[in-house]
Amino acid sequence: MTTADDWQKSSYSGGGEGNDCVEVALDHPHTAVRDSKAPIQAALTFPTPAFTAFLAALRNSPGD
């Protein structure tokens, strides 16, 4: 189970308090994702290899 210290916010979270973002936490063997504006709501979990592949695909996709 993840704790409050495990969650990391993206460096792209924007100005102000940076609450317009998602947060991720490594919860072996899964990666958990939650809305930073509603941290007590349920988090989505993905197998870490699948989440890593998703991030790699985002990095390699052409920008708008």
Side-chain angles (χ1 to χ4, degrees):
M1 174 171 236
T2 56
T3 66
D5 294 334
D6 296 332
W7 293 98
Q8 295 184 13
K9 205 176 285 187
S10 169
S11 60
Y12 293 98
S13 60
E17 293 181 23
N19 291 330
D20 297 327
C21 194
V22 296
E23 297 174 318
V24 297
L26 186 57
D27 191 14
H28 292 288
H30 294 91
T31 298
V33 181
R34 71 180 183 185
D35 183 347
S36 64
K37 293 183 302 283
I40 60 172
Q41 298 291 327
L44 299 173
T45 58
F46 303 93
T48 296
F51 191 71
T52 302
F54 170 71
L55 292 177
L58 288 176
R59 286 185 192 108
N60 294 325
S61 68
D64 287 46

